[in-house]
Amino acid sequence: MTESSSVILEKRGRAFWITINRPDKRNALNGDVIAGIVRGYRDAHDDSEVRVIILTGAGDKAFCAGADLQNSGAAFAMDYSKPNVDYADLLRLSQNSTKPAIARVGGVCMAGGMGLLCMTDMAVAADHVIFGLPEVKVGVFPMQVMSLLQSMAPSRLVNEWALTGEPFDAKAAQAAGLLNYVVPAAELDAKVEWLINRIVDKSPTAIRRGKYAMRAIASMSFDESIAYTESQIALLAMTEDAKEGLKAFSEKRKPSWPGR
């Protein structure tokens, strides 16, 4: 386990946990938090034993409440000589990830926290959690969050959330496609563990190559996509995992994935 003042990184079996550790600040984002999550994603990808990433916040009050506004000047300070923003680079990194990520949402999820939610592949939330894009209330807008959110939720809802800044509940978030499961708080960890177990016994090679392909075809036309994927399935069939999977199926046993 790697622990800092802002982010805890912990390997639990085949899962790599990234926990924002600022419960007294509602797990708000600052430079250290963003750097810690980036490190977690990179460490998870460097470890061949890791099959899934879990992103969560410490405590039961907040998943992430967005940028730390305690020092408003620092929250929106920019180095205009840099073309990239650290938070945007984190979202880029997440979208290029080839290992699946699950958001464990145990408390409020607002503003930049919504971006963290959207950058994962799956999400489980406690039924009391409140979500929102309140940026317009402080004179800004969820610009970078929109890059992911607009492809996940219906445009009319995204418009309402972003333009009014008003919060919504977990039931509405699930109906909009932001959450896979909503459970009572006492069942949150069990549901996350259940989802982890449904991933880690599958082919890591198929998952990595599958995530890579899904990312690649997202902006393709049908003709481009079908041409790309027919070549990808041919390559996938040549992997050691595919050979083991077919052999295990014919022998009526569980596969032992080589991960190659």
CSV table of all heavy atoms in Angstrom, one decimal, residues 4-42:
chain,number,residue,atom,x,y,z
A,4,SER,N,-0.4,8.6,0.9
A,4,SER,CA,0.1,10.0,1.0
A,4,SER,C,-1.0,10.8,1.7
A,4,SER,O,-2.0,10.2,2.1
A,4,SER,CB,0.3,10.6,-0.4
A,4,SER,OG,-0.9,10.8,-1.1
A,5,SER,N,-0.8,12.1,1.9
A,5,SER,CA,-1.8,12.9,2.6
A,5,SER,C,-3.1,13.0,1.7
A,5,SER,O,-4.1,13.3,2.3
A,5,SER,CB,-1.3,14.2,2.9
A,5,SER,OG,-0.9,14.9,1.7
A,6,SER,N,-3.0,12.8,0.4
A,6,SER,CA,-4.1,13.1,-0.5
A,6,SER,C,-4.7,11.8,-1.1
A,6,SER,O,-5.9,11.8,-1.4
A,6,SER,CB,-3.7,14.1,-1.5
A,6,SER,OG,-3.3,15.3,-1.0
A,7,VAL,N,-3.9,10.8,-1.4
A,7,VAL,CA,-4.4,9.7,-2.1
A,7,VAL,C,-3.8,8.4,-1.6
A,7,VAL,O,-2.6,8.4,-1.3
A,7,VAL,CB,-4.1,9.8,-3.7
A,7,VAL,CG1,-4.6,8.5,-4.4
A,7,VAL,CG2,-4.8,11.0,-4.3
A,8,ILE,N,-4.6,7.4,-1.4
A,8,ILE,CA,-4.1,6.1,-0.9
A,8,ILE,C,-4.2,5.1,-2.1
A,8,ILE,O,-5.2,5.0,-2.8
A,8,ILE,CB,-4.9,5.5,0.2
A,8,ILE,CG1,-4.9,6.5,1.4
A,8,ILE,CG2,-4.5,4.1,0.6
A,8,ILE,CD1,-5.8,6.1,2.5
A,9,LEU,N,-3.1,4.5,-2.4
A,9,LEU,CA,-3.0,3.5,-3.5
A,9,LEU,C,-2.8,2.1,-2.8
A,9,LEU,O,-1.8,1.9,-2.0
A,9,LEU,CB,-1.8,3.8,-4.4
A,9,LEU,CG,-1.8,5.2,-5.0
A,9,LEU,CD1,-0.6,5.3,-6.0
A,9,LEU,CD2,-3.1,5.5,-5.8
A,10,GLU,N,-3.6,1.2,-3.1
A,10,GLU,CA,-3.6,-0.1,-2.4
A,10,GLU,C,-4.0,-1.3,-3.4
A,10,GLU,O,-5.0,-1.2,-4.0
A,10,GLU,CB,-4.5,-0.1,-1.2
A,10,GLU,CG,-4.5,-1.4,-0.4
A,10,GLU,CD,-5.5,-1.3,0.7
A,10,GLU,OE1,-6.3,-0.4,0.8
A,10,GLU,OE2,-5.4,-2.2,1.6
A,11,LYS,N,-3.1,-2.3,-3.4
A,11,LYS,CA,-3.5,-3.5,-4.2
A,11,LYS,C,-4.1,-4.5,-3.3
A,11,LYS,O,-3.6,-4.9,-2.3
A,11,LYS,CB,-2.2,-4.1,-4.8
A,11,LYS,CG,-2.4,-5.2,-5.7
A,11,LYS,CD,-1.0,-5.7,-6.3
A,11,LYS,CE,-1.1,-7.0,-7.1
A,11,LYS,NZ,0.2,-7.4,-7.6
A,12,ARG,N,-5.4,-4.9,-3.7
A,12,ARG,CA,-6.1,-5.9,-3.0
A,12,ARG,C,-6.4,-7.0,-3.9
A,12,ARG,O,-7.4,-7.0,-4.7
A,12,ARG,CB,-7.4,-5.3,-2.4
A,12,ARG,CG,-7.3,-4.1,-1.6
A,12,ARG,CD,-8.6,-3.6,-1.0
A,12,ARG,NE,-8.6,-2.3,-0.4
A,12,ARG,CZ,-9.7,-1.6,0.0
A,12,ARG,NH1,-10.9,-2.2,-0.2
A,12,ARG,NH2,-9.5,-0.4,0.5
A,13,GLY,N,-5.6,-8.1,-3.8
A,13,GLY,CA,-5.8,-9.2,-4.8
A,13,GLY,C,-5.5,-8.7,-6.2
A,13,GLY,O,-4.4,-8.2,-6.5
A,14,ARG,N,-6.5,-8.9,-7.1
A,14,ARG,CA,-6.3,-8.5,-8.5
A,14,ARG,C,-6.9,-7.1,-8.7
A,14,ARG,O,-6.8,-6.6,-9.9
A,14,ARG,CB,-7.0,-9.5,-9.4
A,14,ARG,CG,-6.5,-10.9,-9.3
A,14,ARG,CD,-5.0,-11.0,-9.8
A,14,ARG,NE,-4.5,-12.3,-9.9
A,14,ARG,CZ,-4.5,-13.1,-10.9
A,14,ARG,NH1,-5.1,-12.7,-12.0
A,14,ARG,NH2,-3.9,-14.3,-10.9
A,15,ALA,N,-7.3,-6.4,-7.7
A,15,ALA,CA,-7.9,-5.1,-7.8
A,15,ALA,C,-6.9,-4.1,-7.3
A,15,ALA,O,-6.2,-4.3,-6.3
A,15,ALA,CB,-9.2,-5.0,-7.1
A,16,PHE,N,-6.8,-2.9,-7.9
A,16,PHE,CA,-6.0,-1.8,-7.5
A,16,PHE,C,-6.9,-0.7,-7.1
A,16,PHE,O,-7.6,-0.1,-7.9
A,16,PHE,CB,-5.0,-1.4,-8.6
A,16,PHE,CG,-3.9,-0.5,-8.2
A,16,PHE,CD1,-2.7,-1.0,-7.9
A,16,PHE,CD2,-4.1,0.9,-8.1
A,16,PHE,CE1,-1.6,-0.2,-7.5
A,16,PHE,CE2,-3.1,1.7,-7.6
A,16,PHE,CZ,-1.9,1.2,-7.4
A,17,TRP,N,-6.8,-0.3,-5.8
A,17,TRP,CA,-7.7,0.7,-5.2
A,17,TRP,C,-7.0,2.0,-5.2
A,17,TRP,O,-5.9,2.2,-4.7
A,17,TRP,CB,-8.2,0.3,-3.8
A,17,TRP,CG,-9.2,-0.8,-3.8
A,17,TRP,CD1,-9.0,-2.1,-4.2
A,17,TRP,CD2,-10.6,-0.7,-3.4
A,17,TRP,NE1,-10.2,-2.8,-4.1
A,17,TRP,CE2,-11.2,-2.0,-3.6
A,17,TRP,CE3,-11.3,0.4,-3.0
A,17,TRP,CZ2,-12.5,-2.2,-3.3
A,17,TRP,CZ3,-12.7,0.1,-2.7
A,17,TRP,CH2,-13.3,-1.1,-2.9
A,18,ILE,N,-7.7,3.1,-5.7
A,18,ILE,CA,-7.3,4.4,-5.6
A,18,ILE,C,-8.3,5.2,-4.8
A,18,ILE,O,-9.4,5.3,-5.2
A,18,ILE,CB,-7.2,5.1,-7.0
A,18,ILE,CG1,-6.2,4.3,-7.9
A,18,ILE,CG2,-6.7,6.5,-6.9
A,18,ILE,CD1,-6.2,4.7,-9.4
A,19,THR,N,-7.9,5.6,-3.6
A,19,THR,CA,-8.8,6.3,-2.7
A,19,THR,C,-8.4,7.7,-2.4
A,19,THR,O,-7.3,8.0,-1.9
A,19,THR,CB,-8.8,5.6,-1.3
A,19,THR,OG1,-9.2,4.2,-1.6
A,19,THR,CG2,-9.9,6.2,-0.4
A,20,ILE,N,-9.2,8.7,-2.8
A,20,ILE,CA,-9.0,10.1,-2.5
A,20,ILE,C,-9.1,10.3,-1.0
A,20,ILE,O,-10.2,9.9,-0.4
A,20,ILE,CB,-10.0,11.0,-3.3
A,20,ILE,CG1,-9.9,10.8,-4.8
A,20,ILE,CG2,-9.7,12.5,-3.0
A,20,ILE,CD1,-11.0,11.5,-5.6
A,21,ASN,N,-8.1,10.8,-0.4
A,21,ASN,CA,-8.0,10.7,1.1
A,21,ASN,C,-8.1,12.2,1.7
A,21,ASN,O,-7.2,12.6,2.4
A,21,ASN,CB,-6.7,10.0,1.5
A,21,ASN,CG,-6.7,9.8,3.0
A,21,ASN,OD1,-7.7,9.5,3.6
A,21,ASN,ND2,-5.5,9.9,3.6
A,22,ARG,N,-9.1,12.9,1.4
A,22,ARG,CA,-9.3,14.2,2.0
A,22,ARG,C,-10.8,14.3,2.5
A,22,ARG,O,-11.5,15.2,2.1
A,22,ARG,CB,-9.1,15.3,0.9
A,22,ARG,CG,-7.7,15.3,0.3
A,22,ARG,CD,-7.5,16.5,-0.6
A,22,ARG,NE,-7.3,17.7,0.1
A,22,ARG,CZ,-7.7,18.9,-0.3
A,22,ARG,NH1,-8.3,19.1,-1.5
A,22,ARG,NH2,-7.5,20.0,0.4
A,23,PRO,N,-11.2,13.4,3.3
A,23,PRO,CA,-12.6,13.4,3.8
A,23,PRO,C,-13.1,14.7,4.4
A,23,PRO,O,-14.2,15.1,4.3
A,23,PRO,CB,-12.7,12.2,4.7
A,23,PRO,CG,-11.3,12.0,5.2
A,23,PRO,CD,-10.4,12.3,4.0
A,24,ASP,N,-12.1,15.4,5.1
A,24,ASP,CA,-12.5,16.7,5.7
A,24,ASP,C,-12.7,17.8,4.7
A,24,ASP,O,-13.3,18.8,5.1
A,24,ASP,CB,-11.3,17.1,6.7
A,24,ASP,CG,-10.0,17.2,6.0
A,24,ASP,OD1,-9.7,16.4,5.1
A,24,ASP,OD2,-9.2,18.1,6.4
A,25,LYS,N,-12.3,17.6,3.5
A,25,LYS,CA,-12.5,18.5,2.4
A,25,LYS,C,-13.5,18.0,1.4
A,25,LYS,O,-13.5,18.4,0.2
A,25,LYS,CB,-11.2,18.9,1.7
A,25,LYS,CG,-10.1,19.5,2.6
A,25,LYS,CD,-10.5,20.9,3.1
A,25,LYS,CE,-9.4,21.5,3.9
A,25,LYS,NZ,-9.8,22.9,4.4
A,26,ARG,N,-14.3,17.0,1.8
A,26,ARG,CA,-15.2,16.3,0.9
A,26,ARG,C,-14.4,15.7,-0.3
A,26,ARG,O,-15.0,15.7,-1.4
A,26,ARG,CB,-16.3,17.2,0.4
A,26,ARG,CG,-17.2,17.7,1.6
A,26,ARG,CD,-18.6,18.1,1.2
A,26,ARG,NE,-18.6,19.0,0.1
A,26,ARG,CZ,-19.7,19.3,-0.6
A,26,ARG,NH1,-20.9,18.7,-0.3
A,26,ARG,NH2,-19.7,20.2,-1.6
A,27,ASN,N,-13.2,15.3,-0.1
A,27,ASN,CA,-12.4,14.7,-1.1
A,27,ASN,C,-12.2,15.5,-2.4
A,27,ASN,O,-12.3,15.1,-3.5
A,27,ASN,CB,-12.9,13.3,-1.5
A,27,ASN,CG,-12.8,12.3,-0.3
A,27,ASN,OD1,-11.8,12.3,0.4
A,27,ASN,ND2,-13.8,11.5,-0.1
A,28,ALA,N,-12.1,16.8,-2.1
A,28,ALA,CA,-12.0,17.8,-3.2
A,28,ALA,C,-10.7,17.6,-4.0
A,28,ALA,O,-9.7,17.2,-3.4
A,28,ALA,CB,-12.1,19.2,-2.7
A,29,LEU,N,-10.7,18.0,-5.2
A,29,LEU,CA,-9.6,17.9,-6.1
A,29,LEU,C,-8.6,19.1,-5.9
A,29,LEU,O,-9.0,20.2,-5.8
A,29,LEU,CB,-10.0,17.9,-7.6
A,29,LEU,CG,-10.8,16.7,-8.0
A,29,LEU,CD1,-11.4,17.0,-9.4
A,29,LEU,CD2,-10.0,15.5,-8.1
A,30,ASN,N,-7.3,18.7,-5.8
A,30,ASN,CA,-6.2,19.7,-5.9
A,30,ASN,C,-5.1,19.0,-6.7
A,30,ASN,O,-5.2,17.9,-7.2
A,30,ASN,CB,-5.8,20.2,-4.5
A,30,ASN,CG,-5.2,19.1,-3.6
A,30,ASN,OD1,-4.9,18.0,-4.1
A,30,ASN,ND2,-5.1,19.4,-2.4
A,31,GLY,N,-4.0,19.7,-6.8
A,31,GLY,CA,-2.9,19.2,-7.6
A,31,GLY,C,-2.4,17.8,-7.1
A,31,GLY,O,-2.1,16.9,-7.9
A,32,ASP,N,-2.3,17.7,-5.8
A,32,ASP,CA,-1.8,16.4,-5.2
A,32,ASP,C,-2.8,15.3,-5.5
A,32,ASP,O,-2.3,14.1,-5.7
A,32,ASP,CB,-1.6,16.6,-3.7
A,32,ASP,CG,-0.4,17.4,-3.3
A,32,ASP,OD1,0.4,17.6,-4.2
A,32,ASP,OD2,-0.4,17.9,-2.2
A,33,VAL,N,-4.1,15.5,-5.4
A,33,VAL,CA,-5.1,14.5,-5.7
A,33,VAL,C,-5.0,14.0,-7.1
A,33,VAL,O,-4.9,12.8,-7.4
A,33,VAL,CB,-6.5,15.0,-5.3
A,33,VAL,CG1,-7.5,14.0,-5.9
A,33,VAL,CG2,-6.7,15.2,-3.9
A,34,ILE,N,-4.9,15.0,-8.0
A,34,ILE,CA,-4.8,14.6,-9.5
A,34,ILE,C,-3.6,13.8,-9.7
A,34,ILE,O,-3.6,12.8,-10.4
A,34,ILE,CB,-4.9,15.9,-10.3
A,34,ILE,CG1,-6.3,16.5,-10.2
A,34,ILE,CG2,-4.6,15.6,-11.8
A,34,ILE,CD1,-6.4,17.9,-10.8
A,35,ALA,N,-2.4,14.3,-9.2
A,35,ALA,CA,-1.2,13.5,-9.4
A,35,ALA,C,-1.3,12.1,-8.8
A,35,ALA,O,-0.7,11.2,-9.3
A,35,ALA,CB,0.0,14.3,-8.7
A,36,GLY,N,-1.9,12.0,-7.6
A,36,GLY,CA,-2.0,10.7,-7.0
A,36,GLY,C,-2.9,9.7,-7.8
A,36,GLY,O,-2.6,8.5,-7.9
A,37,ILE,N,-4.0,10.2,-8.4
A,37,ILE,CA,-4.8,9.4,-9.2
A,37,ILE,C,-4.0,8.9,-10.5
A,37,ILE,O,-4.1,7.8,-10.9
A,37,ILE,CB,-6.1,10.1,-9.6
A,37,ILE,CG1,-6.9,10.4,-8.3
A,37,ILE,CG2,-7.0,9.2,-10.6
A,37,ILE,CD1,-8.2,11.2,-8.6
A,38,VAL,N,-3.3,9.9,-11.1
A,38,VAL,CA,-2.5,9.6,-12.2
A,38,VAL,C,-1.5,8.5,-11.9
A,38,VAL,O,-1.3,7.5,-12.7
A,38,VAL,CB,-1.8,10.8,-12.7
A,38,VAL,CG1,-0.6,10.5,-13.7
A,38,VAL,CG2,-2.7,11.8,-13.4
A,39,ARG,N,-0.8,8.6,-10.8
A,39,ARG,CA,0.1,7.6,-10.4
A,39,ARG,C,-0.5,6.3,-10.2
A,39,ARG,O,0.0,5.2,-10.6
A,39,ARG,CB,0.8,8.0,-9.1
A,39,ARG,CG,1.8,7.0,-8.5
A,39,ARG,CD,2.5,7.4,-7.2
A,39,ARG,NE,3.4,6.4,-6.7
A,39,ARG,CZ,4.0,6.4,-5.5
A,39,ARG,NH1,3.8,7.5,-4.8
A,39,ARG,NH2,4.7,5.4,-5.1
A,40,GLY,N,-1.7,6.3,-9.6
A,40,GLY,CA,-2.5,5.0,-9.4
A,40,GLY,C,-2.8,4.3,-10.7
A,40,GLY,O,-2.6,3.1,-10.8
A,41,TYR,N,-3.2,5.1,-11.7
A,41,TYR,CA,-3.5,4.5,-13.0
A,41,TYR,C,-2.3,3.9,-13.6
A,41,TYR,O,-2.3,2.8,-14.2
A,41,TYR,CB,-4.1,5.5,-13.9
A,41,TYR,CG,-5.7,5.5,-14.0
A,41,TYR,CD1,-6.4,6.0,-13.0
A,41,TYR,CD2,-6.3,4.9,-15.1
A,41,TYR,CE1,-7.8,5.9,-13.0
A,41,TYR,CE2,-7.7,4.8,-15.2
A,41,TYR,CZ,-8.4,5.3,-14.1
A,41,TYR,OH,-9.8,5.3,-14.2
A,42,ARG,N,-1.2,4.6,-13.5
A,42,ARG,CA,0.1,4.1,-14.1
A,42,ARG,C,0.6,2.9,-13.4
A,42,ARG,O,1.1,1.9,-14.0
A,42,ARG,CB,1.1,5.3,-14.1
A,42,ARG,CG,0.7,6.3,-15.2
A,42,ARG,CD,1.7,7.5,-15.2
A,42,ARG,NE,1.3,8.4,-16.3
A,42,ARG,CZ,1.7,9.7,-16.3
A,42,ARG,NH1,2.5,10.2,-15.4
A,42,ARG,NH2,1.4,10.4,-17.4
